[in-house]
Every structure is written in C-alpha cells, then in structure tokens.
C-alpha cells in the first residue's frame, strides 16, 4: 500500500498579531506568514543558544529568515539566561553565539591580572573586543 504523508495545515495569523519572541513556541511561530516548521525550529534553537532575544532584528542572524517576519514580533519578556563573566569557565563563555574562545581567554586573563570584572567597558582596551561586539553581548552578561 502506498504511504501517505500527512501535512499539517496551520492557520496563519492576520495582521493584528504580535508575538513575544522570547516565549513563542514552534506552534505559534508556524502561524506567522513566511515561517514554517524549519524556520520555527531555527528561531527556537537560536533563542536557546542566546539565552533569549534582546532585539527582534537578531532574527537576521538566522540564515534564510525573511525580513517580512520581523513585524510579527516584539520583545516583551527579557533575556532569560545570562553568563556571569566572573564565574563562567572559558567553555561556558565560548558556548554563547556572541563570544569566541579567544575572547573568553582574554576575559579570564583580565580577571587573573585585575580581579573581577565590574563592567564590559573594561574589555574595550583589548583588540579582541570591538565596541559593537561589546554592545551585542551586553544583554547576555552579568558580573
């Protein structure tokens, strides 16, 4: 007997809907025009790696995400997972999409030489950190 594939039809949202990018699950995400199963999974996976979205335009960092989906989202709940830079290991820091292993080693060396970090501005003196990188990581760190 031939095998039949089951396609799940999802009713798409109309124009008055705005979802919280940090709490929407894949079922809700699939109701946004332009988002199917694959994109919904990618949005949720990236959110998990980040520890939450701090800006809607972070969706641009997901390959193949159309700009047309941005208007369906807002950030209503804050980033839910932060890295304490004074306690984290190099591996824990480097696991974040916005920190490299080299940057993590710079942070550890800085703490060894100067004591605990008080703010990200202390890292601006290192060539491994541009101002843009520090702004990008700021919502995801604590001290």
């Amino acid at each position: 007997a031939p095998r039949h594939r089951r396609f799940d039809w999802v009713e798409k949202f109309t124009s008055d809907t705005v979802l919280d990018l940090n709490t929407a699950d894949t079922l809700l995400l699939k109701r946004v025009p332009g988002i199917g199963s694959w994109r919904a999974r990618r949005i949720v996976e990236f959110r998990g790696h980040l520890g939450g979205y701090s800006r809607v335009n972070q969706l641009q960092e997901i390959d193949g995400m159309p700009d047309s989906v941005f208007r369906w989202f807002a950030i209503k709940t804050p980033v839910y997972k932060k890295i304490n830079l004074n306690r984290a290991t190099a591996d824990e820091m480097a696991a974040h999409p916005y920190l490299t292993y080299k940057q993590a080693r710079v942070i550890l060396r800085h703490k060894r030489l100067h004591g605990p970090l008080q703010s990200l501005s202390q890292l601006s003196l290192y060539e491994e950190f541009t101002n843009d990188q520090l702004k990008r990581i700021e919502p995801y760190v604590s001290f």
Side-chain angles (χ1 to χ4, degrees):
R3 293 179 69 194
H4 293 285
R5 268 186 125 170
R6 193 173 142 247
F7 290 97
D8 293 326
W9 183 80
V10 176
E11 185 179 349
K12 295 294 186 178
F13 286 123
T14 55
S15 59
D16 293 343
T17 306
V18 177
L19 298 177
D20 183 352
L21 199 47
N22 281 331
T23 59
D25 62 13
T26 54
L27 292 175
L28 276 176
L29 291 168
K30 286 195 285 191
R31 294 189 62 196
V32 172
I35 296 180
S37 296
W38 184 83
R39 286 183 177 147
R41 276 196 313 274
R42 296 289 312 230
I43 290 169
V44 170
E45 284 170 9
F46 192 48
R47 178 174 68 204
H49 291 306
L50 285 171
Y53 290 98
S54 61
R55 296 177 326 280
V56 171
N57 69 3
Q58 287 173 289
L59 290 174
Q60 292 173 315
E61 298 172 39
I62 300 172
D63 283 341
M65 193 62 61
D67 292 354
S68 61
V69 304
F70 296 3
R71 69 183 188 91
W72 296 93
F73 299 106
I75 306 296
K76 297 177 185 174
T77 54
V79 166
Y80 54 83
K81 189 173 74 185
K82 294 189 180 225
I83 303 163
N84 184 315
L85 294 180
N86 288 320
R87 293 199 197 114
T89 66
D91 286 340
E92 289 167 339
M93 287 185 233
H96 194 279
Y98 294 167
L99 280 172
T100 66
Y101 199 75
K102 188 175 184 182
Q103 289 171 325
R105 289 196 318 264
V106 168
I107 292 169
L108 293 177
R109 187 175 68 231
H110 178 89
K111 291 188 314 182
R112 200 170 53 245
L113 297 172
H114 305 287
L117 280 170
Q118 308 296 319
S119 76
L120 282 179
S121 61
Q122 293 172 274
L123 300 174
S124 63
L125 303 172
Y126 297 99
E127 65 182 22
E128 288 82 2
F129 292 95
T130 66
N131 282 338
D132 285 347
Q133 288 170 325
L134 292 172
K135 272 191 213 119
R136 198 168 126 180
I137 193 67
E138 192 270 332
Y140 298 101
V141 299
S142 63
F143 307 100

